[in-house]
Amino acid sequence: MAENLLPVIIAARRTAIAVRGGRLSQVGAEHLAGPIVRRCVADAEQATGQRAEVADVILGNCMGPGGNIGRISALAAGLHATVPGMGLDRQCGSGLSAIITAGEAIGAGDHRMRIAGGVESASTAPVRLAEGSPYARAPFAPAGFPDPEMGSAAEALAGKFDISRVAQDDYASRSHRRALIAQQRGIFDDEIVSVEGVLHDDGPRQTTTRLLSRFMPLFAEPDNGTEGTVTAGNSCRICDGAAAVAMISGSSRRDAPGLALRASVTIGCDPALPGIGPVDAVRSILRKADVSMSKIAAVEIVEAFSAQTLAVLRSLDLADDHRVDPRVCADGGALALGHPWGASGAISVVRLFSRLVRQDAPAGTLGLATAAIGGGMGVAAIFEVVR
């Protein structure tokens, strides 16, 4: 694809991330996403110096109210009634997949702007019923296939890759430390839009790093001699939040700096080990983009669990028993900030935008975003700084 036809992100924003039942618990999904959509449009208009013609609003969402969250959020944002919208569910990869979907439409020749991202209001998610009884989630696989809960799947990866409790706690501590430093330095300030006056993430905490060793394993099986290593401390918290980007064709960006979508891959894996999905996705996308990992300047992975994240990073030679590559989640990740499922993949892209575009990385610098997906999938995208 010619460079000027590559889809380019020229604006990227998110809400603060609040724990379920916390400061954003009274805000429905469309009212989390609406201000972000509106701000992305305004940022894009400022960057290009021209009025935006929004072709679509594409938002990922996992457990929300239904009713096409993209369209509802577009209306809540105050966009013209002619602007359509679309909801997308690829579980924890939803936000990133929505951005990829927007980029594919632009790459196919429709150069109008798209707003894409994700939103999750875990606090206001409706209760779902199956055969008259409430259930926590829909199946990720049909009967006869493995369909583990995500925590149990993370514990399985810890066993398969011999990832100790200490290593998991150390990684969680790293995420909190880095997020606290970023928060104190105001690194998140330019990406957060106020919703209900909330401007700071709940998650990063000094106390968490001191208390990690005290958390009890969640999936121990004493009858089978299994002590367990996955705890609430080295797992992400369920949260409320939204994130989105404004994406246009490179031919219409008018020298606005941004992130061009170079390549994307979504791929399936063994549903018994869903957290390992990013490994093949990343390997595939590096081949597709014809770049080596050494050329990637920034990596953002959705940190659902320390065990799951370390299994991926070790498989990609981005971590071992003694170190984690500093390119990975340099300002902390979902273990510290929280995991609003449908939004988290988009939050990763917002983070790349801040790390690379807002912090003046030179043109040509590459960033990678990736996430594991329930049911056994991985999604990855490579972005390139343009100026």
Side-chain angles (χ1 to χ4, degrees), residues 14-27:
R14 68 177 177 93
T15 66
I17 303 169
V19 67
R20 179 172 58 180
R23 294 178 300 159
L24 294 174
S25 61
Q26 302 302 309
V27 185

Side-chain angles (χ1 to χ4, degrees), residues 297-320:
V299 177
E300 290 289 330
I301 181 172
V302 176
E303 297 173 341
F305 300 87
S306 287
Q308 173 265 328
T309 305
L310 285 170
V312 171
L313 296 179
R314 291 183 181 186
S315 298
L316 296 172
D317 295 324
L318 291 171
D320 56 32

Side-chain angles (χ1 to χ4, degrees), residues 46 73 165 198 233 256 331-332 364 369 373 375 385:
Q46 182 176 7
S73 298
R165 165 73 182 270
V198 179
D331 301 318
I373 301 168
V385 176

Side-chain angles (χ1 to χ4, degrees), residues 159-244:
K160 181 177 177 64
F161 287 87
D162 194 23
I163 302 170
S164 69
R165 165 73 182 270
V166 170
Q168 293 174 54
D169 286 352
D170 285 347
Y171 186 85
S173 178
R174 173 190 188 269
S175 188
H176 279 271
R177 290 196 312 271
R178 287 174 174 258
L180 282 165
I181 291 169
Q183 197 173 60
Q184 291 161 4
R185 292 179 176 175
I187 289 174
F188 300 140
D189 292 355
D190 287 341
E191 63 191 38
I192 295 178
V193 174
S194 174
V195 175
E196 298 294 316
V198 179
L199 276 168
H200 297 286
D201 301 311
D202 284 350
R205 296 179 183 176
Q206 293 279 6
T207 55
T208 299
T209 59
R210 296 197 302 268
L211 298 175
L212 281 168
S213 64
R214 301 185 187 181
F215 286 94
M216 296 297 293
L218 296 173
F219 306 100
E221 297 181 12
D223 293 343
N224 297 329
T226 303
E227 295 182 0
T229 58
V230 175
T231 73
N234 56 43
S235 305
C236 66
R237 282 168 296 174
I238 299 169
C239 289
D240 304 325

